[in-house]
């Protein structure tokens, strides 16, 4: 079991970090007191694979002392699990600016005369935690995309290609564009199996239809150039912080050409090391 403690200053980026880590398979628990962390870890160790990667957010809101947290960390490291701690930091000026922009109330506002005083007090309280952390990320000058990229570099795993998942779906233009699509490809220029009587009742997943579609040079040339485009652009989408990229491939009815191309494209992207889902929105519609 992999246990990650997400800690840091209020306004340092803990919520964003938790959401990004959730994208790569961490089960997130927010605002957990130190006394409960050990019990929860013991529960996870005997539970299903859903809890193999757990990230627990610990901060000044819990009311636990750093000494209590350190005792829990020491006990966790004696268990059969990996236990690490991430600390999200930022300059006082940056945190104050973020709070003023969001108009949120600082957790220590009730104990301080001003926002500046609350930020200072929290830094003093959390400094021992910062010193104990395995990873410290200063988010003062990090864009959300850069923060996500740094987290995925540290915790995402090499095989996850920056944590980005790719969904490739076929569709029929006569039924409308998929609203969730990031990239739309139009393959209506390809020869249409619909006009071949034996192929009309079949779909692009049938080998006879696929063989027909890819028997033409323009189809093979298009797929080759499309694969080159994907090999170039997918890493850039991942670097920018894209969690899910939706590629929609359309033909007239969504039965033949778009299905065959979607299937071939999904297989290519899978071979590039990305997590891929393949869908055929309109394949079962119409005649």
């Amino acid at each position: 079991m992999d246990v990650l403690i997400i800690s840091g200053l209020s306004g340092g980026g803990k919520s964003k970090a938790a959401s990004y880590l959730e994208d790569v398979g961490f089960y997130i628990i927010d605002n957990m007191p130190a006394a409960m962390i050990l019990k929860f870890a013991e529960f996870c160790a005997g539970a299903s694979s859903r809890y193999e990667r757990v990230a627990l957010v610990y901060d000044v809101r819990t009311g636990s002392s750093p000494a209590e947290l350190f005792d829990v960390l020491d006990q966790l490291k004696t268990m059969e699990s990996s236990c690490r701690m991430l600390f999200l930091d930022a300059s006082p000026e940056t945190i104050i600016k973020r709070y003023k922009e969001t108009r949120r109330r600082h957790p220590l506002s009730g104990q301080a005369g001003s926002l500046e005083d609350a930020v200072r007090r929290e830094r003093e309280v959390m400094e021992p935690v910062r010193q104990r952390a395995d990873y410290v990320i200063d988010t003062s000058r990090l864009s959300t995309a850069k923060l996500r990229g740094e987290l995925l570099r540290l915790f995402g795993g090499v095989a996850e290609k920056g944590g980005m998942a790719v969904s490739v779906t076929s569709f029929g233009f006569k039924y409308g564009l998929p609203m969730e699509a990031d990239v739309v490809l139009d393959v209506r220029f390809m020869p249409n199996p619909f006009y071949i009587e034996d192929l009309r009742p079949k779909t692009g997943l049938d080998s006879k239809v696929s063989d027909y579609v890819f028997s033409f040079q323009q189809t093979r040339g298009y797929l080759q150039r499309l694969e080159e485009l994907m090999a170039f652009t997918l890493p850039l989408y991942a670097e920018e912080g894209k969690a899910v990229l939706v590629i929609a491939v359309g033909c007239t009815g969504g039965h033949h050409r778009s299905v065959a191309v979607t299937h071939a494209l999904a297989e290519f992207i899978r071979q590039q090391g990305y997590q891929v889902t393949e869908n055929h929105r309109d394949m079962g519609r119409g005649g």
Side-chain angles (χ1 to χ4, degrees), residues 92-124:
E93 296 79 12
T94 299
I95 292 177
I96 291 170
K97 179 181 178 182
R98 289 172 181 172
Y99 267 96
K100 287 183 176 179
E101 288 175 347
T102 61
R103 299 184 180 180
R104 294 182 59 195
R105 181 180 174 85
H106 192 280
L108 298 184
S109 292
Q111 307 171 31
S114 65
L115 176 58
E116 290 81 355
D117 188 31
V119 171
R120 179 186 58 80
R121 289 192 182 194
E122 183 184 29
R123 183 174 293 276
E124 292 174 355

PDB file of all heavy atoms in Angstrom, residues 92-124:
ATOM      1  N   PRO A  92       4.511  34.203   1.636  1.00  0.00           N
ATOM      2  CA  PRO A  92       3.405  34.915   2.300  1.00  0.00           C
ATOM      3  C   PRO A  92       2.665  35.856   1.359  1.00  0.00           C
ATOM      4  O   PRO A  92       1.430  35.943   1.407  1.00  0.00           O
ATOM      5  CB  PRO A  92       4.115  35.685   3.418  1.00  0.00           C
ATOM      6  CG  PRO A  92       5.348  34.900   3.700  1.00  0.00           C
ATOM      7  CD  PRO A  92       5.777  34.349   2.376  1.00  0.00           C
ATOM      8  N   GLU A  93       3.405  36.552   0.499  1.00  0.00           N
ATOM      9  CA  GLU A  93       2.774  37.482  -0.439  1.00  0.00           C
ATOM     10  C   GLU A  93       1.823  36.752  -1.388  1.00  0.00           C
ATOM     11  O   GLU A  93       0.727  37.239  -1.684  1.00  0.00           O
ATOM     12  CB  GLU A  93       3.840  38.230  -1.240  1.00  0.00           C
ATOM     13  CG  GLU A  93       4.743  39.144  -0.424  1.00  0.00           C
ATOM     14  CD  GLU A  93       5.848  38.377   0.319  1.00  0.00           C
ATOM     15  OE1 GLU A  93       6.047  37.178   0.005  1.00  0.00           O
ATOM     16  OE2 GLU A  93       6.478  38.982   1.205  1.00  0.00           O
ATOM     17  N   THR A  94       2.253  35.576  -1.849  1.00  0.00           N
ATOM     18  CA  THR A  94       1.429  34.793  -2.768  1.00  0.00           C
ATOM     19  C   THR A  94       0.160  34.295  -2.077  1.00  0.00           C
ATOM     20  O   THR A  94      -0.941  34.365  -2.648  1.00  0.00           O
ATOM     21  CB  THR A  94       2.228  33.601  -3.314  1.00  0.00           C
ATOM     22  OG1 THR A  94       3.373  34.075  -4.028  1.00  0.00           O
ATOM     23  CG2 THR A  94       1.371  32.753  -4.249  1.00  0.00           C
ATOM     24  N   ILE A  95       0.309  33.794  -0.856  1.00  0.00           N
ATOM     25  CA  ILE A  95      -0.846  33.277  -0.131  1.00  0.00           C
ATOM     26  C   ILE A  95      -1.845  34.387   0.161  1.00  0.00           C
ATOM     27  O   ILE A  95      -3.066  34.216  -0.012  1.00  0.00           O
ATOM     28  CB  ILE A  95      -0.387  32.597   1.179  1.00  0.00           C
ATOM     29  CG1 ILE A  95       0.393  31.327   0.843  1.00  0.00           C
ATOM     30  CG2 ILE A  95      -1.582  32.279   2.070  1.00  0.00           C
ATOM     31  CD1 ILE A  95       0.964  30.618   2.036  1.00  0.00           C
ATOM     32  N   ILE A  96      -1.360  35.534   0.595  1.00  0.00           N
ATOM     33  CA  ILE A  96      -2.249  36.663   0.875  1.00  0.00           C
ATOM     34  C   ILE A  96      -2.992  37.081  -0.395  1.00  0.00           C
ATOM     35  O   ILE A  96      -4.203  37.345  -0.375  1.00  0.00           O
ATOM     36  CB  ILE A  96      -1.442  37.841   1.463  1.00  0.00           C
ATOM     37  CG1 ILE A  96      -0.952  37.481   2.871  1.00  0.00           C
ATOM     38  CG2 ILE A  96      -2.285  39.112   1.490  1.00  0.00           C
ATOM     39  CD1 ILE A  96       0.041  38.468   3.444  1.00  0.00           C
ATOM     40  N   LYS A  97      -2.276  37.125  -1.509  1.00  0.00           N
ATOM     41  CA  LYS A  97      -2.908  37.498  -2.780  1.00  0.00           C
ATOM     42  C   LYS A  97      -3.995  36.503  -3.163  1.00  0.00           C
ATOM     43  O   LYS A  97      -5.090  36.882  -3.602  1.00  0.00           O
ATOM     44  CB  LYS A  97      -1.843  37.567  -3.878  1.00  0.00           C
ATOM     45  CG  LYS A  97      -2.404  37.930  -5.246  1.00  0.00           C
ATOM     46  CD  LYS A  97      -1.307  37.950  -6.301  1.00  0.00           C
ATOM     47  CE  LYS A  97      -1.880  38.269  -7.674  1.00  0.00           C
ATOM     48  NZ  LYS A  97      -0.837  38.242  -8.721  1.00  0.00           N
ATOM     49  N   ARG A  98      -3.714  35.202  -2.983  1.00  0.00           N
ATOM     50  CA  ARG A  98      -4.702  34.179  -3.334  1.00  0.00           C
ATOM     51  C   ARG A  98      -5.948  34.296  -2.465  1.00  0.00           C
ATOM     52  O   ARG A  98      -7.076  34.139  -2.947  1.00  0.00           O
ATOM     53  CB  ARG A  98      -4.078  32.787  -3.205  1.00  0.00           C
ATOM     54  CG  ARG A  98      -3.052  32.486  -4.281  1.00  0.00           C
ATOM     55  CD  ARG A  98      -2.312  31.180  -4.016  1.00  0.00           C
ATOM     56  NE  ARG A  98      -1.321  30.912  -5.056  1.00  0.00           N
ATOM     57  CZ  ARG A  98      -0.433  29.918  -4.997  1.00  0.00           C
ATOM     58  NH1 ARG A  98      -0.404  29.107  -3.945  1.00  0.00           N
ATOM     59  NH2 ARG A  98       0.428  29.746  -5.979  1.00  0.00           N
ATOM     60  N   TYR A  99      -5.766  34.565  -1.177  1.00  0.00           N
ATOM     61  CA  TYR A  99      -6.927  34.699  -0.293  1.00  0.00           C
ATOM     62  C   TYR A  99      -7.740  35.938  -0.638  1.00  0.00           C
ATOM     63  O   TYR A  99      -8.979  35.923  -0.578  1.00  0.00           O
ATOM     64  CB  TYR A  99      -6.481  34.727   1.178  1.00  0.00           C
ATOM     65  CG  TYR A  99      -6.504  33.354   1.804  1.00  0.00           C
ATOM     66  CD1 TYR A  99      -5.340  32.586   1.873  1.00  0.00           C
ATOM     67  CD2 TYR A  99      -7.682  32.809   2.298  1.00  0.00           C
ATOM     68  CE1 TYR A  99      -5.363  31.320   2.425  1.00  0.00           C
ATOM     69  CE2 TYR A  99      -7.711  31.542   2.848  1.00  0.00           C
ATOM     70  CZ  TYR A  99      -6.565  30.802   2.910  1.00  0.00           C
ATOM     71  OH  TYR A  99      -6.588  29.540   3.449  1.00  0.00           O
ATOM     72  N   LYS A 100      -7.079  36.989  -1.011  1.00  0.00           N
ATOM     73  CA  LYS A 100      -7.806  38.208  -1.383  1.00  0.00           C
ATOM     74  C   LYS A 100      -8.578  38.004  -2.683  1.00  0.00           C
ATOM     75  O   LYS A 100      -9.677  38.545  -2.858  1.00  0.00           O
ATOM     76  CB  LYS A 100      -6.836  39.379  -1.501  1.00  0.00           C
ATOM     77  CG  LYS A 100      -6.322  39.877  -0.148  1.00  0.00           C
ATOM     78  CD  LYS A 100      -5.416  41.090  -0.307  1.00  0.00           C
ATOM     79  CE  LYS A 100      -4.991  41.630   1.057  1.00  0.00           C
ATOM     80  NZ  LYS A 100      -4.092  42.806   0.947  1.00  0.00           N
ATOM     81  N   GLU A 101      -8.010  37.239  -3.599  1.00  0.00           N
ATOM     82  CA  GLU A 101      -8.682  36.999  -4.878  1.00  0.00           C
ATOM     83  C   GLU A 101      -9.895  36.095  -4.706  1.00  0.00           C
ATOM     84  O   GLU A 101     -10.931  36.299  -5.345  1.00  0.00           O
ATOM     85  CB  GLU A 101      -7.702  36.374  -5.873  1.00  0.00           C
ATOM     86  CG  GLU A 101      -6.643  37.343  -6.382  1.00  0.00           C
ATOM     87  CD  GLU A 101      -5.620  36.662  -7.277  1.00  0.00           C
ATOM     88  OE1 GLU A 101      -5.594  35.408  -7.289  1.00  0.00           O
ATOM     89  OE2 GLU A 101      -4.859  37.370  -7.955  1.00  0.00           O
ATOM     90  N   THR A 102      -9.771  35.071  -3.850  1.00  0.00           N
ATOM     91  CA  THR A 102     -10.872  34.123  -3.659  1.00  0.00           C
ATOM     92  C   THR A 102     -11.865  34.572  -2.595  1.00  0.00           C
ATOM     93  O   THR A 102     -12.972  34.037  -2.517  1.00  0.00           O
ATOM     94  CB  THR A 102     -10.326  32.744  -3.266  1.00  0.00           C
ATOM     95  OG1 THR A 102      -9.604  32.850  -2.024  1.00  0.00           O
ATOM     96  CG2 THR A 102      -9.392  32.200  -4.336  1.00  0.00           C
ATOM     97  N   ARG A 103     -11.438  35.526  -1.762  1.00  0.00           N
ATOM     98  CA  ARG A 103     -12.272  36.045  -0.665  1.00  0.00           C
ATOM     99  C   ARG A 103     -12.660  34.949   0.324  1.00  0.00           C
ATOM    100  O   ARG A 103     -13.721  35.017   0.965  1.00  0.00           O
ATOM    101  CB  ARG A 103     -13.532  36.733  -1.216  1.00  0.00           C
ATOM    102  CG  ARG A 103     -13.215  37.932  -2.105  1.00  0.00           C
ATOM    103  CD  ARG A 103     -14.468  38.636  -2.557  1.00  0.00           C
ATOM    104  NE  ARG A 103     -14.150  39.793  -3.403  1.00  0.00           N
ATOM    105  CZ  ARG A 103     -15.043  40.596  -3.944  1.00  0.00           C
ATOM    106  NH1 ARG A 103     -16.340  40.373  -3.738  1.00  0.00           N
ATOM    107  NH2 ARG A 103     -14.689  41.629  -4.679  1.00  0.00           N
ATOM    108  N   ARG A 104     -11.828  33.953   0.447  1.00  0.00           N
ATOM    109  CA  ARG A 104     -12.069  32.898   1.429  1.00  0.00           C
ATOM    110  C   ARG A 104     -11.483  33.301   2.780  1.00  0.00           C
ATOM    111  O   ARG A 104     -10.597  34.147   2.867  1.00  0.00           O
ATOM    112  CB  ARG A 104     -11.442  31.584   0.955  1.00  0.00           C
ATOM    113  CG  ARG A 104     -12.084  31.004  -0.295  1.00  0.00           C
ATOM    114  CD  ARG A 104     -11.443  29.680  -0.658  1.00  0.00           C
ATOM    115  NE  ARG A 104     -11.572  28.714   0.428  1.00  0.00           N
ATOM    116  CZ  ARG A 104     -10.857  27.583   0.513  1.00  0.00           C
ATOM    117  NH1 ARG A 104      -9.950  27.316  -0.415  1.00  0.00           N
ATOM    118  NH2 ARG A 104     -11.035  26.766   1.512  1.00  0.00           N
ATOM    119  N   ARG A 105     -11.953  32.645   3.839  1.00  0.00           N
ATOM    120  CA  ARG A 105     -11.498  32.938   5.191  1.00  0.00           C
ATOM    121  C   ARG A 105     -10.351  31.996   5.550  1.00  0.00           C
ATOM    122  O   ARG A 105     -10.450  30.779   5.382  1.00  0.00           O
ATOM    123  CB  ARG A 105     -12.657  32.747   6.172  1.00  0.00           C
ATOM    124  CG  ARG A 105     -12.328  33.040   7.631  1.00  0.00           C
ATOM    125  CD  ARG A 105     -13.563  32.813   8.496  1.00  0.00           C
ATOM    126  NE  ARG A 105     -13.257  32.936   9.916  1.00  0.00           N
ATOM    127  CZ  ARG A 105     -13.241  34.080  10.572  1.00  0.00           C
ATOM    128  NH1 ARG A 105     -13.515  35.201   9.924  1.00  0.00           N
ATOM    129  NH2 ARG A 105     -12.974  34.123  11.862  1.00  0.00           N
ATOM    130  N   HIS A 106      -9.260  32.526   6.045  1.00  0.00           N
ATOM    131  CA  HIS A 106      -8.117  31.715   6.454  1.00  0.00           C
ATOM    132  C   HIS A 106      -8.488  30.917   7.705  1.00  0.00           C
ATOM    133  O   HIS A 106      -9.195  31.431   8.596  1.00  0.00           O
ATOM    134  CB  HIS A 106      -6.906  32.621   6.738  1.00  0.00           C
ATOM    135  CG  HIS A 106      -5.623  31.880   6.893  1.00  0.00           C
ATOM    136  ND1 HIS A 106      -5.274  31.235   8.072  1.00  0.00           N
ATOM    137  CD2 HIS A 106      -4.603  31.665   6.018  1.00  0.00           C
ATOM    138  CE1 HIS A 106      -4.098  30.671   7.923  1.00  0.00           C
ATOM    139  NE2 HIS A 106      -3.661  30.914   6.686  1.00  0.00           N
ATOM    140  N   PRO A 107      -8.048  29.660   7.822  1.00  0.00           N
ATOM    141  CA  PRO A 107      -8.408  28.839   8.989  1.00  0.00           C
ATOM    142  C   PRO A 107      -8.034  29.445  10.334  1.00  0.00           C
ATOM    143  O   PRO A 107      -8.668  29.147  11.349  1.00  0.00           O
ATOM    144  CB  PRO A 107      -7.637  27.541   8.741  1.00  0.00           C
ATOM    145  CG  PRO A 107      -7.440  27.477   7.280  1.00  0.00           C
ATOM    146  CD  PRO A 107      -7.279  28.895   6.832  1.00  0.00           C
ATOM    147  N   LEU A 108      -7.018  30.278  10.370  1.00  0.00           N
ATOM    148  CA  LEU A 108      -6.582  30.875  11.628  1.00  0.00           C
ATOM    149  C   LEU A 108      -7.047  32.315  11.797  1.00  0.00           C
ATOM    150  O   LEU A 108      -6.554  33.029  12.678  1.00  0.00           O
ATOM    151  CB  LEU A 108      -5.052  30.808  11.743  1.00  0.00           C
ATOM    152  CG  LEU A 108      -4.432  29.401  11.775  1.00  0.00           C
ATOM    153  CD1 LEU A 108      -2.927  29.486  11.992  1.00  0.00           C
ATOM    154  CD2 LEU A 108      -5.079  28.542  12.826  1.00  0.00           C
ATOM    155  N   SER A 109      -7.987  32.738  10.981  1.00  0.00           N
ATOM    156  CA  SER A 109      -8.443  34.128  11.052  1.00  0.00           C
ATOM    157  C   SER A 109      -9.024  34.471  12.418  1.00  0.00           C
ATOM    158  O   SER A 109      -8.876  35.593  12.904  1.00  0.00           O
ATOM    159  CB  SER A 109      -9.493  34.399   9.966  1.00  0.00           C
ATOM    160  OG  SER A 109      -8.909  34.341   8.687  1.00  0.00           O
ATOM    161  N   GLY A 110      -9.673  33.505  13.056  1.00  0.00           N
ATOM    162  CA  GLY A 110     -10.266  33.762  14.353  1.00  0.00           C
ATOM    163  C   GLY A 110      -9.264  33.940  15.470  1.00  0.00           C
ATOM    164  O   GLY A 110      -9.598  34.446  16.550  1.00  0.00           O
ATOM    165  N   GLN A 111      -8.014  33.525  15.218  1.00  0.00           N
ATOM    166  CA  GLN A 111      -6.971  33.637  16.231  1.00  0.00           C
ATOM    167  C   GLN A 111      -5.985  34.754  15.918  1.00  0.00           C
ATOM    168  O   GLN A 111      -4.982  34.909  16.615  1.00  0.00           O
ATOM    169  CB  GLN A 111      -6.211  32.308  16.333  1.00  0.00           C
ATOM    170  CG  GLN A 111      -7.095  31.095  16.561  1.00  0.00           C
ATOM    171  CD  GLN A 111      -6.314  29.805  16.441  1.00  0.00           C
ATOM    172  OE1 GLN A 111      -5.120  29.759  16.741  1.00  0.00           O
ATOM    173  NE2 GLN A 111      -6.994  28.739  16.020  1.00  0.00           N
ATOM    174  N   ALA A 112      -6.250  35.498  14.867  1.00  0.00           N
ATOM    175  CA  ALA A 112      -5.314  36.541  14.437  1.00  0.00           C
ATOM    176  C   ALA A 112      -6.063  37.829  14.159  1.00  0.00           C
ATOM    177  O   ALA A 112      -7.268  37.834  13.866  1.00  0.00           O
ATOM    178  CB  ALA A 112      -4.555  36.083  13.190  1.00  0.00           C
ATOM    179  N   GLY A 113      -5.340  38.927  14.249  1.00  0.00           N
ATOM    180  CA  GLY A 113      -5.961  40.218  14.027  1.00  0.00           C
ATOM    181  C   GLY A 113      -6.063  40.599  12.574  1.00  0.00           C
ATOM    182  O   GLY A 113      -6.803  41.521  12.225  1.00  0.00           O
ATOM    183  N   SER A 114      -5.332  39.905  11.697  1.00  0.00           N
ATOM    184  CA  SER A 114      -5.334  40.229  10.276  1.00  0.00           C
ATOM    185  C   SER A 114      -4.966  38.993   9.480  1.00  0.00           C
ATOM    186  O   SER A 114      -4.495  37.986  10.033  1.00  0.00           O
ATOM    187  CB  SER A 114      -4.334  41.348   9.977  1.00  0.00           C
ATOM    188  OG  SER A 114      -3.002  40.896  10.230  1.00  0.00           O
ATOM    189  N   LEU A 115      -5.186  39.078   8.175  1.00  0.00           N
ATOM    190  CA  LEU A 115      -4.814  37.968   7.294  1.00  0.00           C
ATOM    191  C   LEU A 115      -3.310  37.750   7.327  1.00  0.00           C
ATOM    192  O   LEU A 115      -2.834  36.608   7.364  1.00  0.00           O
ATOM    193  CB  LEU A 115      -5.281  38.266   5.865  1.00  0.00           C
ATOM    194  CG  LEU A 115      -4.876  37.245   4.790  1.00  0.00           C
ATOM    195  CD1 LEU A 115      -5.388  35.850   5.127  1.00  0.00           C
ATOM    196  CD2 LEU A 115      -5.399  37.703   3.420  1.00  0.00           C
ATOM    197  N   GLU A 116      -2.547  38.822   7.321  1.00  0.00           N
ATOM    198  CA  GLU A 116      -1.089  38.705   7.369  1.00  0.00           C
ATOM    199  C   GLU A 116      -0.634  37.971   8.628  1.00  0.00           C
ATOM    200  O   GLU A 116       0.256  37.116   8.577  1.00  0.00           O
ATOM    201  CB  GLU A 116      -0.455  40.099   7.311  1.00  0.00           C
ATOM    202  CG  GLU A 116      -0.591  40.812   5.974  1.00  0.00           C
ATOM    203  CD  GLU A 116      -1.942  41.490   5.789  1.00  0.00           C
ATOM    204  OE1 GLU A 116      -2.812  41.326   6.680  1.00  0.00           O
ATOM    205  OE2 GLU A 116      -2.129  42.177   4.768  1.00  0.00           O
ATOM    206  N   ASP A 117      -1.262  38.273   9.753  1.00  0.00           N
ATOM    207  CA  ASP A 117      -0.910  37.624  11.014  1.00  0.00           C
ATOM    208  C   ASP A 117      -1.296  36.147  10.992  1.00  0.00           C
ATOM    209  O   ASP A 117      -0.562  35.291  11.494  1.00  0.00           O
ATOM    210  CB  ASP A 117      -1.611  38.335  12.179  1.00  0.00           C
ATOM    211  CG  ASP A 117      -1.132  37.839  13.532  1.00  0.00           C
ATOM    212  OD1 ASP A 117       0.057  37.441  13.631  1.00  0.00           O
ATOM    213  OD2 ASP A 117      -1.932  37.828  14.484  1.00  0.00           O
ATOM    214  N   ALA A 118      -2.449  35.833  10.391  1.00  0.00           N
ATOM    215  CA  ALA A 118      -2.880  34.437  10.296  1.00  0.00           C
ATOM    216  C   ALA A 118      -1.906  33.614   9.460  1.00  0.00           C
ATOM    217  O   ALA A 118      -1.557  32.483   9.804  1.00  0.00           O
ATOM    218  CB  ALA A 118      -4.283  34.375   9.694  1.00  0.00           C
ATOM    219  N   VAL A 119      -1.447  34.189   8.345  1.00  0.00           N
ATOM    220  CA  VAL A 119      -0.485  33.493   7.469  1.00  0.00           C
ATOM    221  C   VAL A 119       0.825  33.270   8.209  1.00  0.00           C
ATOM    222  O   VAL A 119       1.423  32.193   8.133  1.00  0.00           O
ATOM    223  CB  VAL A 119      -0.266  34.305   6.173  1.00  0.00           C
ATOM    224  CG1 VAL A 119       0.885  33.722   5.364  1.00  0.00           C
ATOM    225  CG2 VAL A 119      -1.545  34.342   5.349  1.00  0.00           C
ATOM    226  N   ARG A 120       1.266  34.265   8.951  1.00  0.00           N
ATOM    227  CA  ARG A 120       2.522  34.131   9.708  1.00  0.00           C
ATOM    228  C   ARG A 120       2.410  33.047  10.781  1.00  0.00           C
ATOM    229  O   ARG A 120       3.308  32.227  10.942  1.00  0.00           O
ATOM    230  CB  ARG A 120       2.873  35.472  10.349  1.00  0.00           C
ATOM    231  CG  ARG A 120       4.150  35.448  11.197  1.00  0.00           C
ATOM    232  CD  ARG A 120       4.378  36.760  11.917  1.00  0.00           C
ATOM    233  NE  ARG A 120       3.249  37.093  12.794  1.00  0.00           N
ATOM    234  CZ  ARG A 120       3.081  36.546  14.003  1.00  0.00           C
ATOM    235  NH1 ARG A 120       3.926  35.635  14.455  1.00  0.00           N
ATOM    236  NH2 ARG A 120       2.047  36.916  14.743  1.00  0.00           N
ATOM    237  N   ARG A 121       1.286  33.050  11.520  1.00  0.00           N
ATOM    238  CA  ARG A 121       1.107  32.057  12.577  1.00  0.00           C
ATOM    239  C   ARG A 121       1.075  30.638  12.013  1.00  0.00           C
ATOM    240  O   ARG A 121       1.641  29.715  12.600  1.00  0.00           O
ATOM    241  CB  ARG A 121      -0.186  32.346  13.343  1.00  0.00           C
ATOM    242  CG  ARG A 121      -0.143  33.587  14.214  1.00  0.00           C
ATOM    243  CD  ARG A 121      -1.332  33.637  15.141  1.00  0.00           C
ATOM    244  NE  ARG A 121      -1.335  34.841  15.958  1.00  0.00           N
ATOM    245  CZ  ARG A 121      -2.109  35.010  17.027  1.00  0.00           C
ATOM    246  NH1 ARG A 121      -2.939  34.046  17.390  1.00  0.00           N
ATOM    247  NH2 ARG A 121      -2.059  36.134  17.711  1.00  0.00           N
ATOM    248  N   GLU A 122       0.381  30.463  10.893  1.00  0.00           N
ATOM    249  CA  GLU A 122       0.306  29.127  10.314  1.00  0.00           C
ATOM    250  C   GLU A 122       1.688  28.644   9.878  1.00  0.00           C
ATOM    251  O   GLU A 122       2.043  27.477  10.066  1.00  0.00           O
ATOM    252  CB  GLU A 122      -0.638  29.099   9.118  1.00  0.00           C
ATOM    253  CG  GLU A 122      -0.799  27.689   8.547  1.00  0.00           C
ATOM    254  CD  GLU A 122      -1.656  27.641   7.300  1.00  0.00           C
ATOM    255  OE1 GLU A 122      -1.693  28.641   6.562  1.00  0.00           O
ATOM    256  OE2 GLU A 122      -2.267  26.580   7.052  1.00  0.00           O
ATOM    257  N   ARG A 123       2.478  29.515   9.308  1.00  0.00           N
ATOM    258  CA  ARG A 123       3.824  29.128   8.886  1.00  0.00           C
ATOM    259  C   ARG A 123       4.649  28.664  10.080  1.00  0.00           C
ATOM    260  O   ARG A 123       5.398  27.691   9.984  1.00  0.00           O
ATOM    261  CB  ARG A 123       4.512  30.282   8.163  1.00  0.00           C
ATOM    262  CG  ARG A 123       5.894  29.962   7.611  1.00  0.00           C
ATOM    263  CD  ARG A 123       6.442  31.099   6.786  1.00  0.00           C
ATOM    264  NE  ARG A 123       5.663  31.288   5.574  1.00  0.00           N
ATOM    265  CZ  ARG A 123       5.849  30.595   4.465  1.00  0.00           C
ATOM    266  NH1 ARG A 123       6.782  29.649   4.405  1.00  0.00           N
ATOM    267  NH2 ARG A 123       5.117  30.828   3.386  1.00  0.00           N
ATOM    268  N   GLU A 124       4.514  29.334  11.207  1.00  0.00           N
ATOM    269  CA  GLU A 124       5.249  28.934  12.411  1.00  0.00           C
ATOM    270  C   GLU A 124       4.798  27.558  12.892  1.00  0.00           C
ATOM    271  O   GLU A 124       5.614  26.710  13.255  1.00  0.00           O
ATOM    272  CB  GLU A 124       5.044  29.973  13.515  1.00  0.00           C
ATOM    273  CG  GLU A 124       5.696  31.321  13.225  1.00  0.00           C
ATOM    274  CD  GLU A 124       5.345  32.368  14.275  1.00  0.00           C
ATOM    275  OE1 GLU A 124       4.507  32.048  15.169  1.00  0.00           O
ATOM    276  OE2 GLU A 124       5.882  33.495  14.199  1.00  0.00           O
TER     277      GLU A 124
END
